[in-house]
Amino acid sequence: MLTFNHVVFNYSNQPVFSDLNLHVTQGEFVFIIGKSGVGKTSFIKMIYMDLIPNSGYVQVGDYTSDSIREKDLPILRRKIGIVFQDYQLLNDRTVYENLSFVLEVVNTPRKLIKRKVLHALSDVGLAHKQNNYPDTLSGGEKQRVAIARAIINEPFLVLADEPTGNLDPETSEEIIEILKKINQRGTTVILATHNYELIRKVNAKIIKIENGKAVKVVVRKKDEN
Ligand SMILES: Nc1ncnc2c1ncn2[C@@H]1O[C@H](COP(=O)(O)OP(=O)(O)OP(=O)(O)O)[C@@H](O)[C@H]1O
C-alpha cells in the first residue's frame, strides 16, 4: 500500500533523508515519531507527493513518485485524507460548508452531499454543530471537523501531522480514539508526532525517524503488564 524505497531527500542545502525504507500495509495504524526537525512533516508530504525524492521512490497505492504525472496528483490526493496540527478550516464557512465544499469540488450530487456530510459529522460526534462557524468551536471540536473533512471522500489512507499538537492530554486522547475507530473500519492511519505519550494508547506500528533513516520501535503498551 505504501513503500519508501531507498529514499534520499534534501532541501536545497539541508539533508533530510539519507536512506529511508519502510513498508505499510492496508489497514495498519502507524506512528511516525522522532524529534523536532527530523523530517516528519517532510515524510508526510512525500506520501501525498507534495515532495518528491532526490533518489529512491515512494509508492502509494497505484502511484509511484518517479512516474506519477501532474494530472494524477489530484486523483491521488482525493484518496488520501489529511489532518494538520492547525486544523486548516475555512473560517468564513460553517462546519457543514467546510465539509460540503470538499464534495462540491468533485461534483457530488447535492442529495448525496447532505447525506455524506451528516454521516461524517456524526462519526466524529459533531452533527449538532453543523451550523457553527469554526471560531465558535473548541480546539478539539475543530480537529474533529478536520477529521470529518478528511474522511468524507472515504480515503484508503488518513495522514495526521501532529494532530494533537495544540490540544490538552484529555482532548488528545479523544482525537486518537476517533482515529482508532476510523482505522478499525480498514482505513490506514499514519500519524506523525513528537508526543511519545500518545503512542502508548494504541496498538500500532511505531517507526522512528533518526539520522535520515526509519527504525522500527517496540513499545510496551499502558494496558500491558
Ligand atoms: N521548505 C524548506 N526548505 C528548507 N529546509 C526545510 C524546509 N522545510 C523543512 N526544512 C528543514 O528540513 C528539516 C525537516 O523538517 P520537517 O518539518 O520535515 O521536520 P519535523 O520532524 O516535522 O519537525 P517538527 O516536529 O518540528 O515539525 C528541518 O531541519 C527543517 O528545518
Side-chain angles (χ1 to χ4, degrees):
M1 199 282 295
L2 171 70
T3 301
F4 276 62
N5 186 68
H6 296 297
V7 168
V8 175
F9 178 72
N10 313 307
Y11 289 106
S12 47
N13 50 12
Q14 169 75 42
V16 182
F17 303 130
S18 56
D19 184 18
L20 193 74
N21 295 285
L22 67 84
H23 186 70
V24 175
T25 52
Q26 185 61 38
E28 280 191 296
F29 196 121
V30 182
F31 279 107
I32 301 296
I33 60 169
K35 64 180 188 208
S36 185
V38 83
K40 299 181 297 299
T41 297
S42 308
F43 172 82
I44 295 278
K45 285 183 173 172
M46 295 191 111
I47 300 175
Y48 61 92
M49 302 206 190
D50 189 33
L51 295 176
I52 298 290
N54 296 95
S55 69
Y57 65 84
V58 180
Q59 184 238 318
V60 189
D62 297 333
Y63 297 103
T64 306
S65 57
D66 50 14
S67 61
I68 193 166
R69 291 166 299 181
E70 194 70 30
K71 70 177 178 60
D72 291 328
L73 286 173
I75 303 169
L76 169 69
R77 290 174 188 161
R78 229 169 275 149
K79 296 177 186 165
I80 300 176
I82 310 177
V83 179
F84 301 95
Q85 175 170 353
D86 60 357
Y87 325 122
Q88 299 199 8
L89 300 175
L90 302 167
N91 287 318
D92 58 347
R93 294 183 191 225
T94 63
V95 165
Y96 184 96
E97 290 162 350
N98 265 275
L99 270 62
S100 63
F101 177 72
V102 179
L103 298 170
E104 280 158 13
V105 295
V106 292
N107 297 319
T108 310
R110 184 148 297 277
K111 246 192 161 158
L112 201 54
I113 290 183
K114 188 168 184 192
R115 185 155 17 113
K116 284 190 168 209
V117 169
L118 294 180
H119 194 262
L121 282 177
S122 65
D123 270 345
V124 300
L126 278 185
H128 60 295
K129 299 272 183 176
Q130 59 175 295
N131 296 319
N132 281 52
Y133 282 88
D135 62 6
T136 67
L137 303 177
S138 69
E141 287 170 338
K142 284 184 200 172
Q143 196 56 298
R144 279 150 65 188
V145 175
I147 293 174
R149 180 184 55 189
I151 59 172
I152 202 158
N153 270 325
E154 296 165 48
F156 67 97
L157 170 64
V158 169
L159 303 175
D161 190 359
E162 209 70 75
T164 62
N166 293 336
L167 305 174
D168 61 66
E170 206 176 311
T171 310
S172 300
E173 226 171 290
E174 286 168 17
I175 295 298
I176 296 298
E177 283 303 319
I178 291 171
L179 291 171
K180 256 166 76 175
K181 192 173 85 178
I182 292 165
N183 172 249
Q184 277 156 7
R185 295 182 200 152
T187 309
T188 308
V189 175
I190 298 181
L191 191 160
T193 185
H194 55 236
N195 179 352
Y196 287 17
E197 258 312 292
L198 284 187
I199 65 180
R200 296 179 180 278
K201 307 225 156 75
V202 190
N203 228 335
K205 182 193 268 185
I206 299 159
I207 293 172
K208 186 172 190 183
I209 300 179
E210 206 169 37
N211 301 324
K213 298 186 170 63
V215 188
K216 200 170 167 197
V217 181
V218 178
V219 174
R220 188 180 283 271
K221 295 282 174 283
K222 262 200 171 145
D223 51 359
E224 289 174 3
N225 291 309

